[in-house]
Amino acid sequence: MFGDLFEEDFSFISNNHCGKGKKSKPRESEPPAPRDFTNLSGIKNQGGTCYLNSLLQTLLFTPEFREALFSLGPEELGTLDDSRKPDAKVRIIPLQLQRLFAQLLLLDQQAASTSDLTESFGWSSHEEMRQHDVQELNRILFSALETSLVGTSGHDLINRLYHGIVVNQIVCKECKNVSERQEDFLDLTVAVKGVAGLEEALWNMYVEEEYFENDNLYRCGACDKLVEASKSAKLRKLPPFLTISLLRFNFDFEKCERYKETSCYTFPMQINLRPFCEQTEMDDSEYMYELFSVIIHKGGCYGGHYHVYIRDVDELGNWQLQFLISLPPQKNQVLWNCKKTPPRQKAAAAGCHWFDLNDSKVQPIKEKDIEKQFQGKESAYMLFYRKAQLKRPPEARGNPRYQIPEHLLNEMNAANTELQKKRAECDSANNGIDLHLHLSSCYKFHNGALHPSLSWKESVVDLTIDRRKMLGDLRQAVFQMLESWEGDMVLSVAKPLPAGLHLYQVLDGDELTLDAIGLADGADIFVWNGKEVGGMKVLPGPEHEPVVLNVLRLAEHNEGGKGQHFTESQHVFSCSTSLGQLHAALAPAGGIILKNGSGVEREAKNWELFREEDMKETVRSVGLSDGCSVLILDSHDQSGNLTAFTYDISWLQVKNLCGVEEEEKHVKITATIETVRTLLTEQLANESCLRPVSGNGKLLSPVPEDYTVKEAELKMGSLLGLCRGKAPTSTQLFLYFIIGSDQSCGPEMEIVVEETASVREVRRLDWCYEAGEALSQENATLKELNVCRGDTLVVSEGKLPGKVKGQGTVPGDLEFQSSLGWEGP
């Protein structure tokens, strides 16, 4: 399955422990998280290496294995630093395994990486992402280690710890001759299907006998004939550590597919192997084994996930903290850089602590939780037993530094020091806040806000401080920075506004942390005496926040009709200023004030008039904020035009054309209304109307009396003339009428006619665009024929009427012409 999984199967001497052609992995921006309360380290999953992680943790928590590995020094294995040197004899796999075990034992990180180890295996990224069978990995890893350790004192490490012997015997019933065949094993594979548990499976394998009889006879070499015989197997040599692989995966020959056996399969915490051994005369202690690791597979036969339950033989982890919640949490439970054995909590039962090591996650479990792995899709897959007579020395208990070589201790100490440094830097970066200190001696107060006397950069001092420190610490730090400060020191939160710097709440409570009082990164702090700045009293707080308003006034109007011009200035007012005070300050001679929250360049319909009843409101309550525009309108502007405002439009220019030239009448307008008809005429003349003035000064058709400004399509800045004559209604058409064959010099008249009048009624003879095409629809109304307000009609004597540039024509002898009551200017 694994193929060339381990590069060192063919050459245990490597010249490049990083792997040929491998790119170095990018450094992470933040240091790895420290260990949690268990003080045990997990292993990162590289994508599909959970099976490898489970096996490595089992080997780590086999103290005799790791200590045998640590006993091999650089003189036998070489060093990783020499791996790049030509012809250097470096045994990469055991060196990387040593280093990984040292990291798992001593490095203060939540999870270690196996990337360097898998690179020493010669694995590609594809192998790291592909999941393999942990039973087969166990055999191949042991084989790779044996190959790597050839020629060293550790050449027999695997055999010494895991090697056992099974003997198969056939006994002739006639001559009692015994024929035997011996088999070596590093692990035992036992059946699961049809078996209740491990002890039954071992009984079937090493106690039950198979008989050769009847048609199935055995040829005995001694008798030289077919005879009856019995066949059996026994454990001849027991290893210190017994690895048992469970045959969970089987093949269904009927369905032609693999399947996972999920039936209940029990296994004991302790097992006596005497019944299964060839020699049974020794003491029971020679046959007693204790369970210390269970590799668990979760999933089906085509994929899944591995994790491992492990008994902490040396009590390296803090197991009881999870269950004894009365114990107070302690920071840095393990003294990683201390050469002394770290203090340990007293254990309830020595060596009975179990942990679930699931890749990066490590958590304590109870012994009874193992029973949950007897059956199901998540169930035991490999069992690891150790001889009960294997006792650990007292100095190894709770001491992760035990038997680790000096050079690895030094490396781990240096790595922990670097980790602590990086964590401190990261912690400072994550919790440090930059404050901008504004010194009152560098500021002056005018126009409602604080302004730097010098440049902004010269008036501000930057200070970085931990947000977890107290306000008193901040105050002390400011005192130390300002050695010349005298008198009381008040720290106030400040905020740069368009008007300038404004002060808000005073920071109080020196025993509170900066985080608790809400100081954020980049906050502005004003340092002053709490009363005045430069002799000027300063009122802090949101109720005195300064607001910058754009104040617009109408300038002289261009008679050419190119629109209205403004003069603009900025004024600062406190947000608590009343509109009455605002009016007195901006329009002391009288007038009206309008606001436009969107500014003068925005939609005109945003203008609103402040009424008399609004004068008690404040700048803030009416919604005036920084950047809002207000327009001040006096009784008259310099051009003599009257200015009016409505809700639907910002402003209109109205010129009085009703009086004689030397006696123009001007009226002050203080109301805003919806319709044009009642806008001005009631105050000027009952029989008057409003007529837009074109760019060349020509009066256009009057606005119907019941039109709104929007319906009249009047734009901001439009110039209107107030003229004599009754305004047409919305159902009447205002038309220009020309009599004479020469349309360019004929007299022009202005008439009003109902839009429902028919062609027959107006005796309209022709309706065309250029050619004078005759129109036979004499009963059609002017509205149906799209005659519009402002069209020009022409009639000539002895000729068909003609249309002037798209406008209609009617005959000139209309009887109702004089009765309409229209009189021009």
Side-chain angles (χ1 to χ4, degrees):
M1 176 184 288
F2 286 89
D4 298 333
L5 181 60
F6 298 100
E7 188 177 54
E8 291 191 351
D9 281 345
F10 303 97
S11 173
F12 62 83
I13 298 176
S14 171
N15 291 326
N16 183 2
H17 78 282
C18 292
K20 203 168 185 178
K22 294 262 186 182
K23 293 184 179 179
S24 59
K25 292 179 170 56
R27 298 181 63 182
E28 298 180 357
S29 57
E30 291 190 1
R35 302 185 182 215
D36 60 16
F37 67 93
T38 65
N39 277 337
L40 297 181
S41 174
I43 301 178
K44 297 177 183 177
N45 192 325
Q46 296 188 56
T49 57
C50 55
Y51 64 101
L52 173 65
N53 296 346
S54 299
L55 182 58
L56 290 174
Q57 292 283 21
T58 299
L59 295 177
L60 173 72
F61 283 90
T62 307
E64 293 78 4
F65 176 86
R66 70 169 185 260
E67 289 165 10
L69 187 66
F70 282 143
S71 68
L72 303 173
E75 65 279 358
E76 293 187 276
L77 303 181
T79 64
L80 293 174
D81 293 336
D82 294 337
S83 60
R84 295 181 181 275
K85 296 180 181 179
D87 302 324
K89 295 182 179 181
V90 180
R91 303 170 193 264
I92 300 299
I93 291 180
L95 283 173
Q96 290 290 7
L97 202 54
Q98 280 185 346
R99 190 167 183 267
L100 175 63
F101 282 179
Q103 291 174 345
L104 290 170
L105 290 169
L106 297 178
L107 199 57
D108 184 18
Q109 58 183 7
Q110 183 180 11
S113 172
T114 58
S115 58
D116 289 338
L117 179 64
T118 54
E119 284 180 6
S120 74
F121 293 166
W123 286 11
S124 63
S125 58
H126 173 71
E127 290 290 343
E128 294 170 355
M129 296 298 295
R130 180 183 175 189
Q131 188 179 97
H132 296 289
D133 185 81
V134 69
Q135 296 175 358
E136 188 171 358
L137 173 68
N138 181 61
R139 300 183 187 110
I140 297 180
L141 178 59
F142 281 179
S143 176
L145 271 174
E146 285 185 311
T147 304
S148 293
L149 297 176
V150 170
T152 70
S153 60
H155 67 280
D156 62 343
L157 185 154
I158 301 300
N159 279 340
R160 192 168 70 245
L161 298 179
Y162 297 95
H163 177 259
I165 298 176
V166 172
V167 60
N168 296 286
Q169 295 179 337
I170 299 178
V171 180
C172 176
K173 291 295 183 72
E174 294 188 9
C175 68
K176 306 303 179 182
N177 179 63
V178 179
S179 174
E180 68 178 32
R181 178 172 53 87
Q182 186 172 282
E183 294 179 4
D184 299 324
F185 71 87
L186 296 178
D187 66 278
L188 296 177
T189 301
V190 298
V192 174
K193 183 180 180 182
V195 183
L198 176 62
E199 290 165 304
E200 182 182 346
L202 292 175
W203 183 273
N204 293 340
M205 293 173 63
Y206 302 117
V207 175
E208 294 287 344
E209 292 184 343
E210 179 184 354
Y211 294 99
F212 296 95
E213 55 188 4
N214 298 327
D215 295 336
N216 184 27
L217 298 176
Y218 168 73
R219 177 171 290 277
C220 177
C223 299
D224 194 22
K225 64 178 181 180
L226 294 174
V227 297
E228 291 185 351
S230 63
K231 179 182 179 182
S232 63
K234 293 291 183 181
L235 295 172
R236 173 167 287 180
K237 175 181 179 287
L238 294 176
F241 297 92
L242 180 63
T243 303
I244 298 177
S245 300
L246 306 183
L247 281 175
R248 285 283 184 186
F249 300 124
N250 288 300
F251 189 83
D252 188 332
F253 288 95
E254 292 183 359
K255 297 182 179 180
C256 291
E257 63 181 13
R258 296 181 70 207
Y259 69 95
K260 181 178 179 180
E261 186 65 54
T262 59
S263 59
C264 182
Y265 189 90
T266 64
F267 46 88
M269 299 300 295
Q270 290 185 331
I271 187 170
N272 189 334
L273 297 181
R274 182 194 294 271
F276 317 118
C277 292
E278 182 183 33
Q279 299 177 5
T280 59
E281 67 278 3
M282 293 184 294
D283 188 77
D284 269 354
S285 62
E286 295 290 338
Y287 305 101
M288 291 300 299
Y289 281 79
E290 297 175 342
L291 184 70
F292 77 97
S293 176
V294 181
I295 292 183
I296 300 160
H297 180 266
K298 180 180 180 181
C301 58
Y302 296 107
H305 176 68
Y306 292 95
H307 62 109
V308 61
Y309 287 176
I310 289 180
R311 180 161 65 95
D312 184 12
V313 177
D314 279 349
E315 298 183 42
L316 302 178
N318 286 336
W319 175 85
Q320 53 192 343
L321 292 183
Q322 178 72 11
F323 304 104
L324 303 179
I325 56 177
S326 60
L327 290 176
Q330 300 180 19
K331 189 174 181 180
N332 295 330
Q333 292 284 337
V334 174
L335 305 179
W336 302 107
N337 289 323
C338 182
K339 293 188 177 181
K340 297 181 181 180
T341 302
R344 307 296 301 173
Q345 307 260 351
K346 288 186 178 181
C352 293
H353 301 161
W354 284 83
F355 292 90
D356 178 12
L357 293 96
N358 192 345
D359 289 336
S360 299
K361 186 178 180 181
V362 180
Q363 60 183 10
I365 61 170
K366 296 180 180 179
E367 190 174 289
K368 65 180 181 181
D369 292 333
I370 299 174
E371 298 177 3
K372 300 176 183 177
Q373 308 304 328
F374 286 168
Q375 62 185 349
K377 290 187 176 181
E378 183 176 9
S379 51
Y381 190 57
M382 287 187 76
L383 307 176
F384 297 83
Y385 286 87
R386 59 183 286 123
K387 273 195 172 182
Q389 65 181 202
L390 293 175
K391 302 301 181 182
R392 297 294 296 151
E395 57 269 24
R397 183 183 176 189
N399 182 10
R401 306 173 66 87
Y402 183 70
Q403 295 293 326
I404 297 181
E406 190 68 25
H407 70 281
L408 285 175
L409 290 176
N410 295 334
E411 181 182 346
M412 294 304 109
N413 285 339
N416 277 318
T417 300
E418 184 65 21
L419 273 177
Q420 291 174 1
K421 178 182 177 183
K422 287 184 177 180
R423 288 193 182 114
E425 293 174 352
C426 185
D427 182 73
S428 176
N430 291 338
N431 292 287
I433 54 176
D434 294 327
L435 302 179
H436 308 302
L437 303 179
H438 302 261
L439 310 181
S440 60
S441 58
C442 300
Y443 277 81
K444 56 185 177 180
F445 184 81
H446 70 91
N447 206 17
L450 292 163
H451 300 270
S453 303
L454 306 173
S455 66
W456 184 273
K457 184 176 181 180
E458 293 174 309
S459 304
V460 178
V461 177
D462 292 330
L463 173 66
T464 301
I465 191 170
D466 195 309
R467 69 174 76 241
R468 295 167 296 187
K469 288 194 173 183
M470 307 296 181
L471 177 60
D473 298 327
L474 172 61
R475 196 182 307 276
Q476 185 63 31
V478 176
F479 265 118
Q480 293 176 356
M481 293 178 63
L482 308 176
E483 297 178 355
S484 60
W485 186 274
E486 296 181 0
D488 295 334
M489 175 184 287
V490 175
L491 303 179
S492 295
V493 176
K495 183 179 178 182
L497 300 176
L501 195 69
H502 183 65
L503 306 184
Y504 293 87
Q505 76 271 19
V506 174
L507 297 179
D508 197 12
D510 283 4
E511 72 284 357
L512 299 176
T513 65
L514 302 183
D515 192 44
I517 63 178
L519 272 188
D521 187 37
D524 293 277
I525 305 296
F526 194 76
V527 184
W528 62 316
N529 59 14
K531 299 177 182 178
E532 49 82 25
V533 174
M536 298 289 292
K537 185 178 180 180
V538 177
L539 298 176
E543 65 277 11
H544 300 291
E545 193 173 274
V547 177
V548 178
L549 300 179
N550 294 322
V551 179
L552 308 177
R553 298 179 186 273
L554 291 175
E556 184 176 357
H557 177 68
N558 185 352
E559 289 289 343
K562 294 184 179 180
Q564 182 66 42
H565 297 281
F566 294 95
T567 60
E568 181 176 357
S569 60
Q570 289 188 333
H571 295 257
V572 179
F573 294 91
S574 170
C575 64
S576 59
T577 302
S578 68
L579 291 186
Q581 295 171 321
L582 185 73
H583 186 278
L586 298 179
I592 61 175
I593 301 180
L594 299 97
K595 76 165 184 176
N596 186 348
S598 301
V600 68
E601 300 296 334
R602 302 285 180 164
E603 294 291 337
K605 59 186 178 183
N606 288 326
W607 285 105
E608 296 180 18
L609 173 71
F610 289 131
R611 297 176 174 82
E612 190 66 33
E613 56 268 26
D614 297 330
M615 292 299 108
K616 294 182 180 180
E617 298 289 335
T618 65
V619 168
R620 170 169 287 171
S621 65
V622 298
L624 287 176
S625 58
D626 289 313
C628 287
S629 297
V630 294
L631 184 58
I632 308 302
L633 298 179
D634 298 327
S635 299
H636 306 286
D637 60 24
Q638 296 179 1
S639 64
N641 296 336
L642 184 69
T643 304
F645 285 80
T646 73
Y647 290 121
D648 294 326
I649 199 162
S650 292
W651 50 272
L652 301 172
Q653 302 291 323
V654 181
K655 191 169 186 177
N656 183 14
L657 301 178
C658 293
V660 294
E661 185 174 345
E662 65 275 4
E663 189 181 350
E664 271 192 352
K665 188 175 183 181
H666 301 281
V667 178
K668 176 183 177 182
I669 301 300
T670 59
T672 56
I673 48 126
E674 289 290 341
T675 62
V676 173
R677 176 67 187 92
T678 55
L679 181 63
L680 297 169
T681 53
E682 291 182 359
Q683 301 182 51
L684 296 175
N686 290 330
E687 295 295 327
S688 62
C689 64
L690 291 172
R691 300 185 64 176
V693 181
S694 67
N696 57 10
K698 179 181 178 181
L699 288 173
L700 304 179
S701 59
V703 179
E705 62 180 356
D706 51 357
Y707 266 29
T708 65
V709 174
K710 183 177 182 180
E711 290 171 336
E713 299 180 354
L714 297 175
K715 298 181 180 180
M716 184 176 70
S718 297
L719 178 62
L720 301 176
L722 183 65
C723 304
R724 296 190 180 278
K726 187 177 181 180
T729 66
S730 59
T731 62
Q732 293 179 321
L733 296 177
F734 177 88
L735 302 174
Y736 295 99
F737 191 67
I738 300 177
I739 300 177
S741 58
D742 188 355
Q743 297 172 6
S744 62
C745 58
E748 183 179 76
M749 300 180 62
E750 297 168 340
I751 66 170
V752 175
V753 62
E754 292 290 338
E755 64 179 7
T756 57
S758 67
V759 174
R760 182 182 299 276
E761 290 175 307
V762 296
R763 295 183 60 193
R764 182 173 181 176
L765 301 179
D766 185 44
W767 185 255
C768 61
Y769 278 88
E770 291 293 345
E773 179 182 354
L775 181 64
S776 60
Q777 299 177 1
E778 294 186 357
N779 294 323
T781 65
L782 297 179
K783 181 178 181 180
E784 292 171 343
L785 295 175
N786 295 325
V787 177
C788 302
R789 179 166 55 93
D791 282 348
T792 299
L793 309 179
V794 180
V795 64
S796 303
E797 293 182 4
K799 297 182 180 179
L800 289 175
K803 184 171 188 260
V804 177
K805 293 185 180 180
Q807 295 179 336
T809 61
V810 296
D813 55 346
L814 294 178
E815 296 179 357
F816 53 80
Q817 184 181 83
S818 59
S819 64
L820 292 176
W822 174 260
E823 187 175 350

